[in-house]
Structure formats: C-alpha cells, structure tokens
Amino acid sequence: MNIYDIAKLAGVSIATVSRVVNDSPRVSEKTKQKVRAVMEENDYTPNVFARGLGLDSMKTIGIICPDVSDTYMARAVSFLEHRLREYGYDCILYCSGYQQEKKENAVELILKKRIDALILVGSTYAGHSEEDDGADYIREAAKKTPVFLINGKITGENVYSVYSTDEDAAYSAVSGMIESGRKRILYLSDSHSYSANKKLEGYERALREHGLPVLGELKLYAKNQVHYVRDILLARRALVFDAVFATDDGMAVGTVKYAHARGLKIPEDLSIIGYNNSELSVCCEPELTTVDNTGEKLCNMTVDNMMKVLNGEEVSQEIPVKCILVKRCTTDF
C-alpha cells in the first residue's frame, strides 16, 4: 500500500494525502477524517515522499536524460535547471544511456534520493510505440513520486507527459516539399525512439496522401554526425533523391555538405529540412529550414505543471504542443 493507493481509495490527490499526514490546516476536517479512515483501514505508514510533499522539506527534483552531450538534452537540462531555481528548487541529474536496463537502473537509483518529483527528458523513455512502450518501471516509480516526461507520451496514474506533435510536423514539412515538386524524399534518422517513429509516420502519411510510394530505399538510418552523414551519402551514388527530411539538424547539415561535395544547388537540386531548430541550423550555408519542436516551451510547461501538482492542483496528464516550421534557405516553398 502506497500514497497513490490511499489517494485513489479516498478520492483525493496524493498532495492532499500528504497534507493530511502532516496535519496541514489547508485540508478540511471532513477530508482529514475520510483520508485517515482509509489509512487506518489499510494499515498505511507514511513514507518520506508523503511527508516531504506536505512539509516542502526536500525542494529537490530528479532529472534523468539519456546523454547530456546531446544538444537537445543539454538545452533541456539547462532550461529545467534555470526554471526550477526560479521556484526555489535544486535538481539531481542522472544520465541513463539508451539501453532499457540502464534506464531502469537510473530510475531506481534516483528514487533513493530525497526528491519531490522526477523529470525524464526525451522520447526514449516512452519506448518505440504506444502499444508496447516498455514503461512499466516508470509507472511503478510514479507510485512513489510524480513523474513528468518531456517529448514523449506514457499513460499511467501520476505520470504527466508534455510532448511535441512530431507526426503532424513531419507530415506538414514533407507535404510542403512534395507540393513544391519533390518526388523522391529521403527520410534520414538515427533513432527508432517514440519521437522518431512519430516523425516517420508523418513522413509516410504525407507520401501516401499525395499519391507517392513509400520506398524502403528512401529510409536511411545513420549516426547523427555531420561528416558521417556526408560520407555515407557520397558512398551511395546509386541512391537518387531530390529532397531530404532529417530528424535532427546535425544530419541535415551533413546533407548540406554532401550537396556541396556533389556540386548540387540548394534548394534547386536538393531541398532539405532538419529538426530541432538548433544552433547548427544557422551555422551552415545556406542556413537550414528546420522544425522547431519548442523545447524551451516543453520544459517551462513541465516545471509549471509540476509545481501545481506538488501544490495539490489538478493538471492534464497529456499536453500536446504544436511544432513550428522555420523556413530558411534550404527549401523553396
């Protein structure tokens, strides 16, 4: 029996249970009696989490990301840390890597710390699909502390997801290239994560709805390294394409370098769209058209919602956020 079970049986939030544990004046006597009765019936002993919510004694948030050297992850952690400090909270950062066992170990380890809530940065924690997300370890963690996922969706009690509408963004971007006359659009990715798979679904949907075939030869997975992408494309001289949709700006910049090496004109001969609207998108020539997945907005919304949850307020468990196509010089539509 845990705080989540007591809250569910009593029909109140976990924050309300913690306030009852700490005899907070913010809870009515009627509610206190109801919650205490449920606690007594189920022989519930409050733990550190239950007491910490009521007393605000920990003021520490756990953050886990796969790899802080990744540009998207690094920016997200920076946004989160800054916003948390505005609320008077510190944070503990763990880097889990991408392997399932290591992600589970990271969650287990950070839960042993005195944290008020847990933030998971990146769609890798949402698995590969909604049908088989491999996220039961996260649902178990949510029985001990609120869990907030950035750019991925997991359903479960006490789990809150804020995510980019990647499928719609990819669909819109690829549709724009098709409608400008592109017929063979290369899908370039380095991942099979939840987010990447959503982008792939949008790419394929755009092709089908515009009467173009979905070809396996035009789906390429490679390392997210500029020169690696350039070289692997140069090595595949038989691969014909007139546009590229890349799931990261780094891969898109590699495509720009490939075009320069081949003497192709951008965007006349090759149209290119990247993803994330990172600094890389303006560090190449021509500057890159890219999808801005509004990472800072996702982080700010996550922290704001977290504070509401810790204060006993109700928030939506799933919040989709629209992406923005930033048009620069590598497209002509």
Side-chain angles (χ1 to χ4, degrees):
M1 185 64 62
N2 54 52
I3 190 172
Y4 160 69
D5 297 319
I6 297 298
K8 188 173 183 179
L9 290 171
V12 298
S13 70
I14 56 174
T16 297
V17 175
S18 73
R19 293 192 184 101
V20 173
V21 168
N22 294 284
D23 199 25
S24 169
R26 297 175 60 186
V27 183
S28 69
E29 284 302 320
K30 182 179 179 180
T31 300
K32 285 181 181 179
Q33 291 175 12
K34 180 174 67 172
V35 173
R36 285 168 180 162
V38 172
M39 292 167 61
E40 289 175 7
E41 289 172 7
N42 293 275
D43 194 25
Y44 173 67
T45 301
N47 60 14
V48 172
F49 168 55
R51 296 188 182 280
L53 274 176
L55 296 174
D56 288 330
S57 60
M58 291 174 277
K59 306 291 284 187
T60 301
I61 304 300
I63 301 174
I64 301 179
C65 73
D67 182 3
V68 78
S69 69
D70 178 269
T71 302
Y72 177 84
M73 305 295 172
R75 292 181 69 203
V77 170
S78 176
F79 293 143
L80 290 169
E81 182 182 29
H82 178 76
R83 197 60 187 276
L84 287 169
R85 290 192 182 279
E86 290 182 355
Y87 280 103
Y89 279 76
D90 291 324
C91 62
I92 300 173
L93 174 65
Y94 276 34
C95 294
S96 68
Y98 292 92
Q99 295 178 3
Q100 183 71 13
E101 183 179 356
K102 291 184 177 180
K103 290 187 289 187
E104 293 181 11
N105 287 341
V107 170
E108 181 181 354
L109 287 171
I110 205 165
L111 287 178
K112 294 178 180 179
K113 306 295 183 181
R114 292 173 58 85
I115 60 172
D116 292 281
L118 174 61
I119 301 175
L120 303 173
V121 182
S123 67
T124 182
Y125 300 104
H128 303 313
S129 68
E130 294 178 30
E131 293 75 21
D132 182 21
D133 59 15
D136 285 344
Y137 71 103
I138 294 173
R139 296 185 181 93
E140 285 299 313
K143 294 179 181 179
K144 301 176 183 178
T145 189
V147 176
F148 296 81
L149 181 64
I150 294 177
N151 204 29
K153 184 168 68 172
I154 296 175
T155 58
E157 297 292 340
N158 214 25
V159 179
Y160 303 87
S161 303
V162 179
Y163 54 92
S164 303
T165 54
D166 290 317
E167 180 181 351
D168 290 342
Y171 172 83
S172 178
V174 174
S175 293
M177 289 194 286
I178 295 172
E179 290 163 9
S180 69
R182 309 296 166 166
K183 301 295 184 183
R184 291 181 60 86
I185 302 172
L186 179 66
Y187 173 83
L188 189 57
S189 180
D190 68 331
S191 171
H192 293 279
S193 69
Y194 175 90
S195 175
N197 286 343
K198 285 296 179 183
K199 295 167 190 173
L200 178 59
E201 289 174 17
Y203 163 84
E204 293 181 342
R205 179 158 62 93
L207 293 177
R208 287 193 298 268
E209 291 189 8
H210 287 84
L212 295 178
V214 177
L215 303 174
E217 66 188 70
L218 291 178
K219 299 176 188 176
L220 180 61
Y221 290 85
K223 295 178 184 178
N224 186 13
Q225 298 175 3
V226 172
H227 287 164
Y228 184 91
V229 171
R230 177 199 64 188
D231 293 344
I232 198 171
L233 290 177
L234 286 172
R236 301 193 176 198
R237 298 297 289 265
L239 182 61
V240 178
F241 53 94
D242 55 11
V244 175
F245 175 73
T247 61
D248 187 271
D249 287 339
M251 307 190 84
V253 173
T255 307
V256 171
K257 288 186 173 291
Y258 155 80
H260 291 332
R262 288 285 310 275
L264 301 175
K265 294 181 180 179
I266 304 174
E268 293 86 351
D269 299 327
L270 187 63
S271 180
I272 305 169
I273 296 178
Y275 218 97
N276 291 339
N277 195 28
S278 67
E279 286 297 313
L280 288 174
S281 65
V282 293
C283 290
C284 62
E285 184 60 40
E287 292 186 359
L288 190 65
T289 294
T290 180
V291 176
D292 186 344
N293 61 353
T294 63
E296 183 174 5
K297 183 176 182 179
L298 298 184
C299 292
N300 288 336
M301 292 179 69
T302 296
V303 174
D304 290 342
N305 287 342
M306 178 186 299
M307 295 302 121
K308 292 177 181 178
V309 170
L310 294 178
N311 285 325
E313 300 177 39
E314 297 293 331
V315 302
S316 175
Q317 288 187 272
E318 295 182 6
I319 302 178
V321 179
K322 289 185 177 181
C323 302
I324 302 168
L325 182 64
V326 181
K327 296 180 181 180
R328 296 196 180 98
C329 304
T330 58
T331 53
D332 53 5
F333 65 92

